[in-house]
Amino acid sequence: TACEIGLGIPAEPLFRFLLSLFTNVFINSILIIPLLFYMFFKQGIIIEQRLNALLPKKFQNGAKRSSDEIKLQLRDFLTAKVTESVVIGGICCLGFFIAGLKGWLFLGFLAGILNIIPFLGPLLGAIPPILIALVDQPIVAVYVIITIVIAQLLDNLYLIPFMISGRVKMDALLGIVLILVGAQLAGPLGM
């Protein structure tokens, strides 16, 4: 007999689905995306020159200015995301330390790093400290959850709309609307 969870859903297919999802997120976020960024930044100038050479002569100056503006905006965005992750990691480290969580520094650092991944990152960063706290001392888990909620509220209500939008010179309301439109058009990937 198969073990069932919750509302009669067999545990084995659910476990396979979750394992597949976690593996996909891990491979994309930890391995492939950093490799693509590394290759882009290492050979970005060569790629840009080759693409610019394909354009007619009268469009090359405009394409170069546009490319420079895009690079500036991307640099500002990545700087803001790193700053956001440092702030979230610092809040989590402090909260985990105050709660008495074992491994607070590593777990806070992990929560900050994973916060870079949109939408799934905060969840992935919250699972290890909560599980460790539940195993060690269940009361500590309450403080860990409170810390994570405070960090995410600060992130979602202040850092993302104002700091990141300010860095990339985009209105905060426009940023929120674009996230919602992206969600409607392409789901989580569009967000």
Side-chain angles (χ1 to χ4, degrees):
T1 62
C3 177
E4 292 187 358
I5 59 170
L7 302 170
I9 301 171
E12 190 173 317
L14 179 64
F15 178 73
R16 281 192 203 145
F17 170 75
L18 291 175
L19 183 62
S20 172
L21 178 67
F22 180 75
T23 304
N24 188 20
V25 167
F26 176 78
I27 289 173
N28 285 329
S29 63
I30 304 298
L31 300 176
I32 294 174
I33 293 173
L35 178 64
L36 289 175
F37 271 105
Y38 171 75
M39 293 306 293
F40 175 74
F41 288 118
K42 183 177 180 187
Q43 297 188 358
I45 294 172
I46 296 169
I47 294 170
E48 180 183 353
Q49 289 172 346
R50 288 182 182 166
L51 288 175
N52 202 16
L54 295 174
L55 294 173
K57 200 73 157 160
K58 65 181 179 178
F59 296 122
Q60 287 181 358
N61 287 335
K64 175 82 170 110
R65 284 193 305 272
S66 296
S67 174
D68 290 343
E69 183 64 28
I70 289 170
K71 284 190 286 188
L72 180 65
Q73 292 286 338
L74 184 60
R75 187 195 72 210
D76 288 346
F77 176 75
L78 291 175
T79 302
K81 288 299 281 183
V82 168
T83 304
E84 171 195 9
S85 291
V86 168
V87 170
I88 297 303
I91 291 170
C92 288
C93 283
L94 179 64
F96 297 165
F97 174 74
I98 291 171
L101 180 66
K102 293 179 181 173
W104 59 270
L105 182 62
F106 172 75
L107 294 169
F109 181 73
L110 180 67
I113 292 293
L114 290 174
N115 197 62
I116 289 177
I117 303 168
F119 304 103
L120 285 178
L123 179 66
L124 294 174
I127 292 172
I130 292 172
L131 290 177
I132 289 172
L134 283 172
V135 168
D136 189 35
Q137 294 177 351
I139 191 67
V140 173
V142 173
Y143 295 114
V144 167
I145 291 170
I146 290 171
T147 299
I148 291 168
V149 167
I150 289 171
Q152 288 308 308
L153 284 173
L154 178 70
D155 186 28
N156 292 318
L157 297 177
Y158 176 71
L159 295 176
I160 291 175
F162 296 106
M163 186 185 76
I164 292 181
S165 296
R167 274 288 181 116
V168 294
K169 298 171 189 80
M170 181 174 63
D171 185 71
L173 179 62
L174 178 62
I176 294 169
V177 168
L178 289 175
I179 289 172
L180 294 174
V181 168
Q184 289 297 317
L185 294 176
L189 184 61
M191 293 166 69

